[in-house]
Amino acid sequence: VYSGGKHWTVDEVRALIHIWSDKNIQQQLEGTVRNKRIFEHVAARLRKFGIVRDWKQCRTKYKNLKHEYRSVKNAQGSGSTSKSMKFFNELDAILGHSTMEQESKSDNEESGRPPEWTETKSEKDCIGKYFSYPYIV
């Protein structure tokens, strides 16, 4: 049986969440089930912070955090405020959009588009500046 090693410290979890908050990592995790390579990359990035965890430990911690977050979020949705967890706000910033998307997918046109299409606000702003420039009086 794989035990997963020693408990994660607060700083280790913060570092994991920081890496997880990277848009590229999020898109890769949302787009695949076979995610060993992604977690090997996450483990390598943790090593840069001086944190030695293998990909399995990273994946297990990711799954546990995600599960705990969802159960707290569901409890809040049903009116219960007694359930809480450490790092809820940080995880809500990452996962809050995906749980909301699933609930409102039925009548939301944009949900069918790949995430990179909806994340191009700054790109549109730049394009808008270039196109509107000749018309400025």
Side-chain angles (χ1 to χ4, degrees), residues 21-109:
S21 69
D22 181 323
K23 283 266 185 276
N24 291 331
I25 298 285
Q26 286 176 51
Q27 285 175 0
Q28 287 177 60
L29 287 170
E30 285 168 17
T32 183
V33 180
R34 297 179 189 281
N35 48 23
K36 178 182 175 182
R37 285 201 7 241
I38 302 163
F39 284 106
E40 284 173 341
H41 176 71
V42 168
R45 282 179 64 177
L46 280 174
R47 277 193 288 279
K48 290 178 184 171
F49 292 107
I51 299 164
V52 181
R53 294 282 181 177
D54 66 27
W55 72 270
K56 281 185 182 174
Q57 290 170 314
C58 293
R59 186 174 68 180
T60 301
K61 190 63 181 174
Y62 160 82
K63 284 181 170 180
N64 290 344
L65 284 167
K66 202 169 170 180
H67 177 77
E68 194 180 350
Y69 165 80
R70 291 234 161 90
S71 67
V72 171
K73 190 84 172 171
N74 290 339
Q76 286 180 353
S78 63
S80 169
T81 52
S82 60
K83 217 170 165 114
S84 67
M85 69 176 285
K86 232 182 225 171
F87 310 112
F88 179 82
N89 292 338
E90 292 92 327
L91 292 172
D92 198 43
I94 299 169
L95 295 169
H97 70 280
S98 63
T99 52
M100 293 304 287
E101 268 174 28
Q102 286 165 5
E103 288 165 16
S104 63
K105 231 175 197 164
S106 56
D107 58 341
N108 186 355
E109 240 177 76

